[in-house]
Amino acid sequence: MKDKKIKNVFREGAISSEFIGNSIYKHQTKTSIGAHNIFLGQVRADEIDGKTVTAIDYTAYEDMANQKFHDIRESAFEKFDLTCMHIYHSLGTVKTGEICLFVFVSSPRRKVVFEALEYIVEAIKADVPVFGKEIFEDETHQWKKNT
Amino acid sequence: MNITVKYFGQIVDVTNKNQETIEIIDGQISDVLQLLNNKYELLKNKDFQIAQNQELVSLETKLTGAEIALLPPFSGG
């Protein structure tokens, strides 16, 4: 069954530090929270066969991906005592050094957010149909593989 | 029946298109794969999973007429 409240996790381009800072700021009114934990995925300048990655171009099977993000969210709320949780993933071009994934979990207690964040990030890597094309300086490309 | 087939990631390097509609008689996922393997010779070299109606399926899954997608290894984050 498809839930009507499925959110769109995707944002065009890199996720800015202003956006991340503002997300933290917005939680100041939620005073039952005692601990936040944040994962930021950053595009790495891997060197492969003498060529350096300059950016990753992200595409996704968006409908299925948003459904999977939704399932991961539901399952995380079932497993862990979370107050709230936010996930944002980039589409399109993200340059090296920029942020492509932002996962933000909050709970009354710290131990919960450490466990929850790892669970969520690993599930995203394994289950969500997002595809990264690594672009080199000479504009050639190779398809990224998660390790 | 007519089925929409969507391609993603490195599969697009082989098909040179993001999606198409194929015509096929009732059958299972493997019948679609056979049709696509005949159409795109290089597809055999690619590693991918298949989704029907946005759920991963096996080769024996019956065709429902819903959208099919060829999904190479995921590399989000």
Side-chain angles (χ1 to χ4, degrees):
Chain A
M1 290 295 288
K2 299 284 160 77
D3 194 303
K4 283 177 193 159
K5 295 177 294 184
I6 290 177
K7 291 180 183 173
N8 180 22
V9 161
F10 293 107
R11 293 292 179 275
E12 196 57 42
I15 298 161
S16 71
S17 46
E18 290 77 16
F19 181 85
I20 295 160
N22 196 39
S23 295
I24 300 167
Y25 170 73
K26 281 186 202 161
H27 287 74
Q28 289 183 353
T29 53
K30 299 190 177 182
T31 50
S32 67
I33 292 171
H36 299 299
N37 200 5
I38 286 173
F39 177 86
L40 300 174
Q42 174 168 301
V43 174
R44 191 176 51 231
D46 274 349
E47 198 182 308
I48 301 152
D49 299 332
K51 295 193 289 187
T52 307
V53 172
T54 59
I56 295 181
D57 186 24
Y58 286 103
T59 51
Y61 186 12
E62 287 184 53
D63 290 345
M64 178 174 168
N66 276 316
Q67 177 65 46
K68 291 290 173 194
F69 279 121
H70 179 82
D71 295 346
I72 293 167
R73 183 191 310 277
E74 295 285 291
S75 136
F77 272 113
E78 254 173 52
K79 278 181 196 289
F80 306 101
D81 177 27
L82 294 176
T83 310
C84 54
M85 158 177 180
H86 305 274
I87 306 174
Y88 301 95
H89 197 297
S90 295
L91 283 183
T93 303
V94 182
K95 292 182 213 148
T96 50
E98 292 184 329
I99 302 299
C100 56
L101 173 62
F102 171 29
V103 182
F104 186 4
V105 291
S106 312
S107 169
R109 302 272 167 195
R110 72 182 180 284
K111 284 189 179 164
V112 173
V113 292
F114 293 135
E115 284 180 29
L117 189 68
E118 182 172 11
Y119 168 81
I120 293 159
V121 173
E122 293 305 318
I124 291 171
K125 296 264 181 186
D127 299 339
V128 182
V130 174
F131 312 98
K133 182 158 91 171
E134 293 173 318
I135 314 285
F136 299 107
E137 314 122 298
D138 61 359
E139 292 180 15
T140 56
H141 74 265
Q142 77 160 25
W143 290 93
K144 179 175 176 257
K145 275 185 189 161
N146 278 349
T147 48
Chain B
M1 63 180 115
N2 289 321
I3 296 179
T4 301
V5 185
K6 291 190 170 179
Y7 306 114
F8 293 92
Q10 56 190 287
I11 304 300
V12 180
D13 290 349
V14 167
T15 60
N16 288 313
K17 61 183 77 154
N18 294 312
Q19 70 173 71
E20 66 186 312
T21 304
I22 58 165
E23 201 181 332
I24 192 163
I25 50 164
D26 284 355
Q28 55 187 31
I29 296 291
S30 59
D31 297 317
V32 173
L33 187 59
Q34 194 180 356
L35 186 153
L36 296 176
N37 275 332
N38 290 336
K39 194 168 177 181
Y40 305 107
E41 209 175 309
L42 295 172
L43 199 57
K44 291 185 190 78
N45 307 331
K46 294 290 182 189
D47 175 20
F48 57 88
Q49 304 181 86
I50 300 178
Q52 177 171 247
N53 196 25
Q54 298 172 29
E55 291 289 342
L56 295 177
V57 290
S58 74
L59 292 176
E60 292 77 38
T61 304
K62 206 175 165 351
L63 296 175
T64 61
E67 179 177 290
I68 285 174
L70 271 53
L71 305 173
F74 303 162
S75 52

